[in-house]
């Protein structure tokens, strides 16, 4: 909320109290909630204090863990930390004055991430071999815990963690490969594409329901749409690459292109910028990938980049001209 709006609400609550419309206790609560004096400094101090406590606590746990050299002990200690962070975050969120809503959401999310780490350590304590199946199962469990927390306490940050864990638990992964390079893969791209499309469809329904019976969960549907479109489009894009599906590459290229065009059309139809944006971005990636596959080995690097740049300028000019015609 802007500072001017907060000051207006504080003044209005004081005026209501003087008129006898609300009690003095309610007026004090509203005034405290919308009083923004020194909020930036107090927020900075709060975050610094929390960071110091967290880092010191992890340092102590690290010393204990190194001295014991036991994954089980480390897992129990990390589980205790996860519970403490989650509990403190929930207490802040449940505060009627809502003095630290962002801090509370952050602590809850960090606590859930620490819970995944604790489960991993406890699994390692039972068996030295942490296979992919066990890792994916732990991610699904973490996703369920995060989603339950998000819906019970109306929090969006845990929902973000839940969706990340869910899609990674279904077979998506990435890692740093060294020398500034990153690697990403999807275990079963067709299934992931279907799952992403279903998640995006659920998000569109959720956004519509947020205007009525799901008003308490405003913003949740947007996250479903974003994550669903991201993983759906990435999966379809991977399927167009030769090393994923060389025999059926042309079919997947047509499917990917059609999906991108459909997103642009649906975005324009429903005036949803997320659909339009994802469609345009991944259609551009599709065209660039096809251009790279067919001309990278046939042209010099300078000529390749020159043609790509000129094509981008020409397309941008055409789109701007089209937008001017539509608005006139």
């Amino acid at each position: 909320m802007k500072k001017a709006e907060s000051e207006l609400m504080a003044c209005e609550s004081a005026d209501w109290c003087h008129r006898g419309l609300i009690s003095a206790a309610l007026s004090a609560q509203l005034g405290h909630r919308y009083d923004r004096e020194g909020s930036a400094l107090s927020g900075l101090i709060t975050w610094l204090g929390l960071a110091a406590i967290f880092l010191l606590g992890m340092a102590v746990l690290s010393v204990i863990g190194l001295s014991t050299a036991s994954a089980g002990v480390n897992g129990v200690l990390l589980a205790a930390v996860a519970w403490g962070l989650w509990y403190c975050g929930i207490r802040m969120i449940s505060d009627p004055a809502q003095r630290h809503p962002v801090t509370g959401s952050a602590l809850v999310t960090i606590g859930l991430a620490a819970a995944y780490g604790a489960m991993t350590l406890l699994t390692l304590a039972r068996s030295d071999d942490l296979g992919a199946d066990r890792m994916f199962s732990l991610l699904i469990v973490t996703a369920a815990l995060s989603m339950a927390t998000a819906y019970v306490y109306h929090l969006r940050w845990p929902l973000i963690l839940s969706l990340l864990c869910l899609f990674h638990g279904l077979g998506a992964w990435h890692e740093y490969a060294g020398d500034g390079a990153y690697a990403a893969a999807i275990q079963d791209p067709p299934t992931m594409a279907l799952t992403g499309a279903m998640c995006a469809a659920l998000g569109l329904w959720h956004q519509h329901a947020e205007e009525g019976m799901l008003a308490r969960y405003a913003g949740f549907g947007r996250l479903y749409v974003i994550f669903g479109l991201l993983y759906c489009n990435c999966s379809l894009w991977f399927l167009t690459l030769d090393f994923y599906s060389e025999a059926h590459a042309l079919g997947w290229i047509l499917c990917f292109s059609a999906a991108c065009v459909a997103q642009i059309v649906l975005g324009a139809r429903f005036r949803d910028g997320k659909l339009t944006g994802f469609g345009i971005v991944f259609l551009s990636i599709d065209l660039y990938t096809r251009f790279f596959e067919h001309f990278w080995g046939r042209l010099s690097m300078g000529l390749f980049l020159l043609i790509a740049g000129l094509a981008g300028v020409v397309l941008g000019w055409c789109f701007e001209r089209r937008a001017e015609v539509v608005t006139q």
Side-chain angles (χ1 to χ4, degrees):
M1 182 177 290
K2 296 181 180 179
K3 182 177 180 180
E5 295 174 348
S6 301
E7 293 176 350
L8 176 62
M9 291 299 298
C11 292
E12 288 293 331
S13 63
D15 183 53
W16 295 338
C17 180
H18 293 321
R19 295 183 183 183
L21 300 177
I22 59 176
S23 64
L26 181 56
S27 175
Q29 182 178 347
L30 292 174
H32 181 72
R33 178 174 183 176
Y34 295 108
D35 182 13
R36 311 297 293 179
E37 295 294 332
S39 60
L41 181 59
S42 63
L44 177 61
I45 294 173
T46 300
W47 277 105
L48 289 175
L50 289 172
I53 294 172
F54 179 75
L55 292 175
L56 289 174
M58 294 306 295
V60 173
L61 293 178
S62 299
V63 171
I64 297 174
L66 289 173
S67 62
T68 59
S70 172
V73 174
N74 290 335
V76 172
L77 293 175
L78 188 56
V81 172
W83 168 255
L85 291 172
W86 186 90
Y87 180 76
C88 292
I90 294 299
R91 288 290 301 273
M92 291 183 180
I93 294 166
S94 303
D95 183 7
Q98 289 290 295
R99 289 170 293 185
H100 307 290
V102 177
T103 304
S105 298
L107 289 178
V108 170
T109 308
I110 295 172
L112 291 168
Y116 168 72
M119 289 187 292
T120 303
L121 290 174
L122 293 174
T123 302
L124 286 173
R126 297 181 58 186
S127 174
D128 294 335
D129 182 20
L130 183 62
D133 293 339
R134 291 184 179 180
M135 184 181 299
F136 292 156
S137 298
L138 294 179
L139 284 170
I140 296 298
V141 172
T142 306
L145 293 174
S146 301
M147 187 168 293
T149 301
Y151 273 92
V152 171
Y153 297 100
H154 314 145
L155 302 175
R156 280 178 286 183
W157 285 19
L159 183 61
I160 295 175
L161 178 63
S162 174
L163 292 173
L164 283 173
C165 292
L166 177 62
F167 280 105
H168 279 71
L170 293 176
W173 63 269
H174 63 275
E175 65 180 0
Y176 179 63
D179 297 329
Y182 292 86
I186 297 175
Q187 185 176 10
D188 188 359
T191 302
M192 183 66 73
L194 179 60
T195 304
M198 293 174 61
C199 181
L202 173 63
L204 293 175
W205 172 83
H206 206 289
Q207 286 185 142
H208 178 71
E210 287 169 9
E211 300 176 359
M213 62 179 179
L214 297 181
R216 295 179 298 175
Y217 307 106
F220 281 32
R222 176 183 177 84
L223 296 178
Y224 284 116
V225 173
I226 290 174
F227 278 89
L229 291 177
L230 176 62
Y231 283 94
C232 176
N233 287 320
C234 284
S235 299
L236 293 175
W237 177 42
F238 283 9
L239 286 168
T240 64
L241 305 178
D242 291 339
F243 63 85
Y244 258 100
S245 180
E246 184 175 358
H248 307 284
L250 179 59
W252 286 116
I253 290 172
L254 295 176
C255 181
F256 181 36
S257 303
C260 293
V261 173
Q263 290 171 44
I264 296 173
V265 173
L266 289 175
R269 172 65 178 82
F270 296 109
R271 300 183 182 275
D272 193 324
K274 297 183 293 300
L275 289 169
T276 305
F278 272 97
I280 291 174
V281 168
F282 278 93
L283 182 60
S284 302
I285 292 175
D286 182 25
L287 295 176
Y288 171 79
T289 303
R290 308 287 79 79
F291 182 70
F292 180 88
E293 288 177 345
H294 293 284
F295 296 103
W296 178 257
R298 302 178 183 180
L299 302 175
S300 65
M301 182 179 295
L303 184 59
F304 176 88
L305 296 176
L306 177 62
I307 294 175
L310 290 176
V313 172
V314 172
L315 287 174
W317 180 82
C318 293
F319 291 146
E320 288 183 344
R321 292 290 299 173
R322 175 61 179 170
E324 290 177 359
V325 172
V326 172
T327 54
Q328 289 177 355

